[in-house]
Amino acid sequence: MIGLGAGPLERIVAVGAHCDDIAIGAGGTLLTLCLARPGVRVDALVLSGGGSEREQEERAALAAFCPGADLRLTVHKLPDGRLPAHWEEAKAAVEELRGQTEPDLILAPRTDDAHQDHRGLARLIPTAFRDHLVLGYEIVKWDGDLGRPAAYQPLSPEIAEQKVRLLQEHYPSQRHRPWYDREAFLGLARIRGIECHARYAEAFAATKLTLNLGG
């Protein structure tokens, strides 16, 4: 197994259709990146939940998941589950984000995610960010849409435990959901860790990669 680095990481974009998507899908990766690179800029965009308790949860959570980072979070008010009907608003939000940053890495939903909001946002990202490394995170759900990832970020046991603790601490509105528990989050991380010879990991889809093997 060969590990290919993405080069210097000074700016990261993280996008989610809903508050908690980014933290569930890539919270361990954000913790790993931000702890290793103090001061890294993280531009985060969430399309729904603006003006509600969900936005308050998201702001506190991402601040915890991005320790020491220059975090800039925007939360919009698109209705949950209705992104296809609000395509123009979603596209405008992504285009606005594009005008604010030139990222080295984008963390986004997968294009084959079964949830229409996740899938719609994932398909919007390459229309604005055309020459960027996009890693599509996964979110476990009843649809059973987990696939075969192309990229892995190993997580130390400490980071994996911290991710689960922060998810439980910062999103009380989600604790009633049957899939929102320690076993689900650590279980998936353990499986992905096995697949990349680590204890824990987060896994990502990669639709397109440009290599610079001779550089």
Side-chain angles (χ1 to χ4, degrees):
M1 181 177 294
I2 300 175
L4 297 176
L9 286 175
E10 298 178 354
R11 294 192 175 200
I12 302 167
V13 158
V15 298
H18 317 101
C19 297
D20 78 16
D21 284 354
I22 295 170
I24 292 173
T29 297
L30 282 174
L31 281 167
T32 301
L33 282 170
C34 293
L35 289 171
R37 296 171 173 82
V40 65
R41 175 167 163 177
V42 179
D43 289 273
L45 170 69
V46 179
L47 293 182
S48 65
S52 70
E53 68 169 346
R54 298 280 278 137
E55 178 178 355
Q56 297 174 18
E57 289 179 345
E58 186 76 339
R59 291 193 177 279
L62 289 190
F65 275 103
C66 300
D70 177 11
L71 175 63
R72 309 179 187 197
L73 170 62
T74 301
V75 183
H76 287 273
K77 299 182 179 180
L78 273 64
D80 188 355
R82 299 290 186 271
L83 188 148
H86 295 266
W87 190 259
E88 289 299 326
E89 296 168 68
K91 183 171 177 58
V94 172
E95 293 285 357
E96 182 180 3
L97 174 64
R98 176 66 183 94
Q100 297 170 353
T101 185
E102 183 66 48
D104 303 303
L105 170 66
I106 300 171
L107 301 170
R110 296 177 299 126
T111 56
D112 56 354
D113 193 296
H115 194 297
Q116 68 272 16
D117 291 355
H118 300 172
R119 187 172 62 250
L121 175 56
R123 292 175 177 175
L124 275 172
I125 292 301
T127 70
F129 296 91
R130 295 184 176 274
D131 299 303
H132 300 79
L133 174 61
V134 181
L135 296 181
Y137 56 72
E138 55 185 357
I139 297 178
V140 65
K141 61 180 80 66
W142 72 272
D143 306 82
D145 64 351
L146 296 179
R148 194 168 181 182
Y152 296 84
Q153 171 59 51
L155 306 178
S156 69
E158 294 78 16
I159 290 291
E161 290 284 355
Q162 185 177 2
K163 173 184 175 177
V164 173
R165 178 177 59 78
L166 291 177
L167 285 172
Q168 293 289 353
E169 177 182 341
H170 287 288
Y171 296 103
S173 67
Q174 304 304 298
R175 291 176 190 155
H176 68 283
R177 299 185 181 277
W179 53 268
Y180 197 93
D181 61 30
R182 171 185 172 83
E183 288 180 299
F185 298 134
L186 273 186
L188 179 58
R190 179 68 186 110
I191 290 170
R192 296 316 190 195
I194 291 171
E195 294 172 353
C196 68
H197 301 296
R199 182 65 187 175
Y200 298 106
E202 286 177 339
F204 301 89
T207 304
K208 185 184 294 186
L209 291 172
T210 300
L211 304 179
N212 182 19
L213 301 181

